[in-house]
DNA sequence: TAGTGGTCTAGACCACCAG
DNA sequence: TGGTGGTCTAGACCACTAA
């Protein structure tokens, strides 16, 4: 019972929408009515509804009500800040991570710039390939600040880095910035990936920040062209 | 003075952060202090701060305060629901839209499914190429419900479709869902794009919804590999 | 006109962080 | 311990929608 009221209400309503207790296209009960049902103030209901709206469950229309959206259309929210493990398990496919390299190394000028640390600082360098249904389709090169994450093992990198950081170290991963583009495949790509006949890879560069805004991880993720897929759900900013 | 208080405060604070009146890494005044300065309640300040947080200006830390982030790092927010015109003008490059086709046509099964309308319904079909610095790098195939957008001209498609829809028709574009992947280049791509030696394109399929949740536009956007770039700023979901 | 969501208020209690 | 942000309340007024 430690959970926030508005989160609990959000989850309750989200479940009801997903199980079609509220049909697609119909209206949610009004905020006033919901505040009665859940015995909370209207502002608390509004927080729950904002979560539903942000996550694509409802569309709020002034003067009318909250329309139930077809959430089944938005199958896999690959977008956002989600670990490979979380995506892979949600997809239901067989997956596996191979750790090719896990070393402490001195940051060169490129890595130092990306992690915003002095050149020569000791950082973790991890090279992993991601296997889905028996094919190596992603090559991840991670650089992690050793002062923030002192100890790493092959097991942690194979299993789930984020789970270790959040559940063992109790650090809070807060936000990230991804940049995507297409690049020529390198010899390294051909070494670690099942490249077949492809000459390009999709590169996803990712900066990941902790709650105190420190930049702790920089990842260069190289995806085989034919297996790359990214989904983005966006609301139009009226502001600014 | 019609503007909401919290939006006005958001913009004021965002300006001050961008002009470094609040240095990167320092703390914003406390919510209590700000509510005094702006003569509003604390909840109103909190709405403004939430906007700042969502847009990457600050990071809120409980018990501590709101840390100013380095917003200049997030140069081009190409992510989200933004029209080509808005992106192109923000980049400062010379751009141009060529309208190759603008016709009313009956939806085939593919388009009918994408727009969730019956097969045979009359829809707008628009084929446009986007030129940046003299090269045709994007091919846009738009399908638009004619019952929602009755009149379209070549000029509107060349200039800005979204501006017409929002400012002339007073419809509110609300949210979209993008899906990205890489595909073989077609003959059509080679006809309309300056393809040079590339054999693949990045495809961005986009469903765009109005405020009343009607799906009014489906776009297949085909980007030349070497010119594709996408930036995504994401906060980690603690919820769910 | 009645009902809806959008904004705003003044106050309360809590968990967390730093000195 | 004092200050911070996170949650929650009960009420108010407004703009918008639909009948």
């Amino acid at each position: 019972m430690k959970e926030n009221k508005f989160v609990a209400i959000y989850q309750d309503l989200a479940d009801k929408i997903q199980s079609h207790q509220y049909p697609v296209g119909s209206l949610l009960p009004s905020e006033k009515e919901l505040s009665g049902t859940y015995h909370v103030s209207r502002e608390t209901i509004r927080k729950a509804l904002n979560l539903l709206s942000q996550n694509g469950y409802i569309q709020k229309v002034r003067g009318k009500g909250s329309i139930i959206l077809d959430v089944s259309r938005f199958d896999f929210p690959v977008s956002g800040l989600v670990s490979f493990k979380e995506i892979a398990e949600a997809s239901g496919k067989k997956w596996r991570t191979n750790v090719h390299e896990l070393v402490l190394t001195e940051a060169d000028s490129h890595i130092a710039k990306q992690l915003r640390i002095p050149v020569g600082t000791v950082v973790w360098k991890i090279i992993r390939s991601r296997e889905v249904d028996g094919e190596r389709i992603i090559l991840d090169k991670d650089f992690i600040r050793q002062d923030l994450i002192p100890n790493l093992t092959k097991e942690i990198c194979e299993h789930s880095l984020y789970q270790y950081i959040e559940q063992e170290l109790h650090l809070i991963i807060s936000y990230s910035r991804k940049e995507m583009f297409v690049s020529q495949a390198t010899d390294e790509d051909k070494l670690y990936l099942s490249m077949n006949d492809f000459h390009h890879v999709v590169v996803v560069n990712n900066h990941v920040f902790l709650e105190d805004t420190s930049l702790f991880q920089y990842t260069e993720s190289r995806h085989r062209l034919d297996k790359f897929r990214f989904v983005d759900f966006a609301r139009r900013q009226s502001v600014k």
Side-chain angles (χ1 to χ4, degrees), chain A:
Chain A
M1 265 315 187
K2 252 190 61 187
E3 206 160 51
N4 294 334
K5 288 188 186 178
F6 75 92
V7 174
I9 295 170
Y10 159 74
Q11 285 173 337
D12 189 55
L13 290 172
D15 286 348
K16 287 183 175 162
I17 292 171
Q18 274 180 326
S19 62
H20 301 287
Q21 290 180 48
Y22 294 118
V24 171
S26 70
L27 291 177
L28 217 55
S30 73
E31 297 180 351
K32 186 159 170 279
E33 202 175 330
L34 287 171
S35 71
T37 320
Y38 286 100
H39 305 290
V40 297
S41 75
R42 196 180 139 217
E43 284 293 341
T44 301
I45 292 294
R46 285 178 56 72
K47 278 196 191 174
L49 296 194
N50 281 339
L51 270 185
L52 288 173
S53 170
Q54 279 164 33
N55 291 15
Y57 285 95
I58 62 169
Q59 171 71 14
K60 308 183 86 179
V61 183
R62 169 194 299 233
K64 206 170 163 192
S66 297
I67 306 173
I68 310 291
L69 299 185
D70 188 356
V71 77
S72 68
R73 291 251 168 200
F74 304 131
D75 35 343
F76 293 118
V78 182
S79 145
L81 183 45
V82 186
S83 72
F84 173 77
K85 189 188 174 196
E86 290 166 298
I87 294 174
E89 295 194 337
S91 77
K93 290 183 178 167
K94 271 203 238 172
W95 62 276
R96 182 186 144 85
T97 294
N98 306 297
V99 178
H100 300 285
E101 198 175 328
L102 168 63
V103 291
L104 284 169
T105 178
E106 294 188 357
D108 62 20
S109 65
H110 171 61
I111 297 306
K113 192 181 165 200
Q114 296 303 324
L115 280 174
R116 306 183 204 167
I117 53 174
V119 172
T121 310
V122 173
V123 296
W124 289 106
K125 177 184 182 185
I126 313 170
I127 296 186
R128 294 182 285 186
S129 64
R130 314 290 202 166
E131 223 169 273
V132 175
D133 285 343
E135 282 192 300
R136 294 183 178 178
I137 59 172
I138 306 176
L139 175 63
D140 278 351
K141 296 163 71 176
D142 293 281
F143 299 91
I144 297 180
R145 275 176 56 177
Q146 198 233 343
D147 56 335
L148 296 174
I149 318 288
N151 303 304
L152 279 180
T153 66
K154 205 178 162 200
E155 287 64 41
I156 293 169
C157 297
E158 251 167 21
H159 180 241
S160 177
L161 190 54
Y162 278 21
Q163 198 167 313
Y164 170 71
I165 290 170
E166 291 185 325
Q167 291 175 17
E168 302 298 320
L169 300 184
H170 300 291
L171 293 174
I172 296 178
I173 297 168
S174 189
Y175 60 98
S176 81
R177 181 184 186 268
K178 287 191 172 68
E179 191 173 344
M180 289 167 230
F181 54 89
V182 179
S183 175
Q184 291 263 343
T186 63
D187 290 341
E188 198 177 38
D189 295 329
K190 288 166 189 162
L191 174 64
Y192 290 120
L193 297 179
S194 329
M195 276 303 283
N196 302 347
D197 251 352
F198 298 105
H199 299 97
H200 291 83
V201 290
V202 178
V203 181
V204 181
N205 287 341
N206 194 14
H207 294 82
V208 188
F209 299 79
L210 296 178
E211 197 194 22
D212 67 354
T213 77
S214 56
L215 168 51
F216 86 100
Q217 178 187 27
Y218 169 68
T219 299
E220 291 182 11
S221 202
R222 306 177 71 87
H223 298 242
R224 211 173 78 183
L225 270 195
D226 58 324
K227 294 295 183 181
F228 176 77
R229 185 158 166 266
F230 188 82
V231 177
D232 179 63
F233 179 79
R235 291 196 170 268
R236 184 146 174 92
Q237 295 269 10
S238 49
V239 175
K240 206 197 139 138

